[in-house]
Amino acid sequence: MALPSHTAANINLSLDSGTARLKELGYKQELKRDLSVFSNFAFSFSIISVLTGITTLYNTGLKFGGPVSLIYGWFIAGGFSMIVGLSMAEICSSYPTSGGLYYWSAKLAGPRWAPFASWMTGWFNIVGQWAVTTSVDFSLAQLIQVIILLSTGGKNGGGYEASKYVVIALHGGILFLHAILNSLPISVLSFFGQLAAAWNLVGVLVLMILIPLVATERASAKFVFTHFNTDNGDGISSKVYIFALGLLMSQYTITGYDASAHMTEETKNADKNGPRGIISSIGISIIFGWAYLLGITFAVTNIPYLLNEDNDAGGYAIAEIFYLVFKSRYGNGTGGIVCLGVVAVAIFFCGMSSVTSNSRMAYAFSRDGAMPLSSLWHKVNSQDVPVNAVWVSAFMSFCMALTSLGSIVAFQAMVSIATIGLYIAYALAIFFRVTLARKSFVPGPFNLGRYGILVGWIAVLWVATISVLFSLPVAYPITQETLNYTPVAVGGLFILIVSSWIFGARHWFTGPVTNIDT
């Protein structure tokens, strides 16, 4: 029997706005909606994790451009990332679902192109997310190895250097812990997410002040703000080219904020708080990341030595900086090792939140039948957690890391998908918004008004630009060892996705499928 209209209206009014919108889009509320706006922000902020990205790729910034690339390149990459984020936030407000990008593409591309658009976007998104988890947890395994090396005397003092097999074992153990944590109820995970955000914020504040304060030798302000390092040892002399390559550290770091979109089905008032999570995570990361860069770079006095593989940290620049700062002041580097421990905890939280985001994407994508064995991955347990999706995400990330055993070059190709592949997924959804859905897009509570199209086009052009920049050779002459395999990896992924569509998926995949009668 149909409810009276006023009764139906009262029921809709009593619903959380995110739940009501999800129902309008045709999906049941299967996940527990228990995240606040801060919790939603915390997941994206801890995945961006400036302590993770900057620490991991500081060597790249130092090598290609040095302080100028680090300090100014950060704002360039951060500013354009904010533009991408604003455009994504506008779409997220209209479509607050765990599927995020691939669902957006389907709705924005229109009925004719929806299946192909969602297939392309979804696979770039989920493989990109798995690659992010791979790179984050492998980076933590490498940092743990460096901490052990320094704790046992350093490279020049007989310290223990772990083999590649030990590193991959550490990586597997870290992923296992992350899968266990992500199998817990969302209320517990929310606590860890908030703790992760607080750890990153406090960690940056402590390290940016402590490192230059303890250092007995500091760089001058002129060096930090004006020195451009052209001594890269890779046969590249063009300053424009060098600066472009130096942007990779910044762009790699400010990635993963689509987590706020993937967590919307578990976020209260997600049509408003999902966009807030995306924008605030980028904005606060830009501010705190720059502060961290500034503090660390004031402790840089000898770039060639920091990048030299024969130093105590084996060429791991930030580890060597921390170690030397305390050793020069107190006669030993114990304080520096403790500081590296602070960074390691931040990276651990980053990987944990990355698996959370991966699993929600896998849950939503399989809910619509896009993944092999989809019926298995979109199941939720009694605590409303997609636990199968959690474990398959961890497993895929471990498999991607196994390439490091064969060749570090092959592994770097996998990692390149983390930046380029993920941003391609971002750009595809935005591209459909500014083209096919230019006139039909219905904005949600958060929108850019008349500037939506302009912001969207700038975002798409920026992604196209960095896709070219990060595919350029990073050393000359080009050999098998120095070739940048990014275009090979991303191109290979593109061929696989398109081929699977042409030879199979186009016959059965119809795009997002509603699971309630709207």
Side-chain angles (χ1 to χ4, degrees):
M1 188 175 89
L3 291 170
S5 60
H6 67 277
T7 304
N10 288 336
I11 291 174
N12 282 332
L13 285 173
S14 67
L15 283 177
D16 171 276
S17 63
T19 304
R21 180 57 180 151
L22 186 67
K23 184 179 179 183
E24 290 174 7
L25 296 174
Y27 289 110
K28 298 175 184 177
Q29 182 64 55
E30 296 180 304
L31 303 177
K32 189 173 183 181
R33 197 174 286 274
D34 202 36
L35 298 180
S36 64
V37 63
F38 180 74
S39 296
N40 182 283
F41 149 81
F43 280 109
S44 279
F45 182 71
S46 57
I47 291 177
I48 294 175
S49 181
V50 295
L51 287 176
T52 299
I54 292 174
T55 301
T56 302
L57 287 185
Y58 193 75
N59 280 51
T60 301
L62 272 186
K63 185 175 184 179
F64 296 107
V68 168
S69 284
L70 293 167
I71 302 301
Y72 302 107
W74 180 260
F75 280 119
I76 293 172
F80 281 107
S81 294
M82 177 60 82
I83 289 174
V84 175
L86 283 168
S87 197
M88 287 172 61
E90 180 181 54
I91 304 171
C92 178
S93 183
S94 185
Y95 306 116
T97 75
S98 291
L101 300 162
Y102 89 89
Y103 183 90
W104 303 349
S105 289
K107 292 299 179 182
L108 295 168
R112 181 182 177 186
W113 291 102
F116 179 66
S118 59
W119 182 264
M120 290 290 295
T121 306
W123 278 109
F124 265 112
N125 194 189
I126 196 164
V127 175
Q129 285 195 347
W130 288 335
V132 167
T133 302
T134 302
S135 64
V136 169
D137 282 3
F138 195 81
S139 296
L140 178 54
Q142 289 178 314
L143 181 57
I144 291 173
Q145 181 265 320
V146 171
I147 290 173
I148 294 171
L149 172 64
L150 292 173
S151 300
T152 53
K155 190 167 184 177
N156 296 311
Y160 172 74
E161 291 188 75
S163 69
K164 61 183 179 181
Y165 299 103
V166 172
V167 173
I168 200 69
L170 285 171
H171 172 78
I174 294 163
L175 272 171
F176 184 74
L177 289 175
H178 285 156
I180 290 175
L181 287 173
N182 275 280
S183 299
L184 299 174
I186 190 62
S187 56
V188 178
L189 211 54
S190 173
F191 167 76
F192 281 116
Q194 293 179 46
L195 178 62
W199 188 277
N200 271 276
L201 291 170
V202 174
V204 167
L205 290 173
V206 170
L207 293 176
M208 64 172 279
I209 296 170
L210 184 63
I211 297 304
L213 189 65
V214 173
T216 54
E217 290 183 69
R218 300 181 191 87
S220 65
K222 181 180 179 181
F223 175 85
V224 172
F225 291 104
T226 65
H227 180 71
F228 191 84
N229 180 43
T230 57
D231 183 17
N232 50 69
D234 287 322
I236 301 173
S237 57
S238 168
K239 289 189 174 182
V240 174
Y241 198 157
I242 290 171
F243 186 82
L245 294 177
L247 287 175
L248 177 60
M249 182 211 73
S250 302
Q251 196 63 69
Y252 169 82
T253 302
I254 310 176
T255 304
Y257 43 85
D258 55 316
S260 287
H262 296 302
M263 301 305 295
T264 49
E265 289 187 35
E266 294 160 274
T267 302
K268 299 171 184 176
N269 300 313
D271 52 342
K272 305 178 187 71
N273 291 336
R276 288 171 181 162
I278 292 172
I279 296 166
S280 59
S281 63
I282 298 171
I284 294 174
S285 293
I286 291 172
I287 295 168
F288 276 76
W290 192 73
Y292 180 54
L293 276 172
L294 204 58
I296 300 306
T297 307
F298 266 107
V300 173
T301 56
N302 189 336
I303 293 176
Y305 178 73
L306 293 176
L307 297 175
N308 192 323
E309 292 183 2
D310 291 326
N311 64 34
D312 279 319
Y316 199 123
I318 281 189
E320 186 68 19
I321 291 171
F322 289 3
Y323 187 72
L324 282 180
V325 159
F326 281 88
K327 189 175 182 180
S328 62
R329 172 73 68 177
Y330 302 110
N332 67 74
T334 303
I337 295 171
V338 171
C339 289
L340 288 175
V342 171
V343 175
V345 173
I347 300 177
F348 181 85
F349 281 138
C350 176
M352 180 201 72
S353 297
S354 184
V355 172
T356 307
S357 181
N358 295 179
S359 62
R360 272 48 180 185
M361 172 61 195
Y363 157 80
F365 208 30
S366 59
R367 179 174 60 185
D368 293 321
M371 293 178 64
L373 304 176
S374 282
S375 60
L376 188 61
W377 313 131
H378 84 265
K379 285 183 178 179
V380 296
N381 63 11
S382 59
Q383 297 172 319
D384 300 328
V385 176
V387 69
N388 292 346
V390 167
W391 286 91
V392 75
S393 295
F395 176 74
M396 292 303 298
S397 295
F398 180 71
C399 289
M400 293 177 80
L402 290 176
T403 54
S404 67
L405 296 178
S407 165
I408 198 64
V409 173
F411 174 71
Q412 288 168 347
M414 289 289 102
V415 173
S416 66
I417 297 173
T419 303
I420 302 301
L422 207 53
Y423 265 96
I424 287 174
Y426 296 175
L428 283 171
I430 298 170
F431 176 75
F432 296 130
R433 154 74 178 99
V434 298
T435 53
L436 297 175
R438 181 186 179 96
K439 295 180 180 179
S440 61
F441 177 70
V442 179
F446 174 85
N447 63 84
L448 303 174
R450 60 179 179 173
Y451 298 105
I453 299 296
L454 175 62
V455 171
W457 272 117
I458 295 174
V460 171
L461 291 173
W462 174 247
V463 174
T465 301
I466 61 172
S467 296
V468 173
L469 289 182
F470 301 154
S471 297
L472 297 173
V474 294
Y476 289 93
I478 300 172
T479 65
Q480 187 175 348
E481 288 73 31
T482 61
L483 178 66
N484 184 351
Y485 283 88
T486 297
V488 178
V490 177
L493 178 60
F494 176 80
I495 291 171
L496 282 173
I497 295 172
V498 173
S499 297
S500 63
W501 171 259
I502 293 173
F503 297 110
R506 68 187 179 93
H507 298 296
W508 53 266
F509 183 69
T510 58
V513 180
T514 59
N515 59 12
I516 60 173
D517 183 2
T518 57

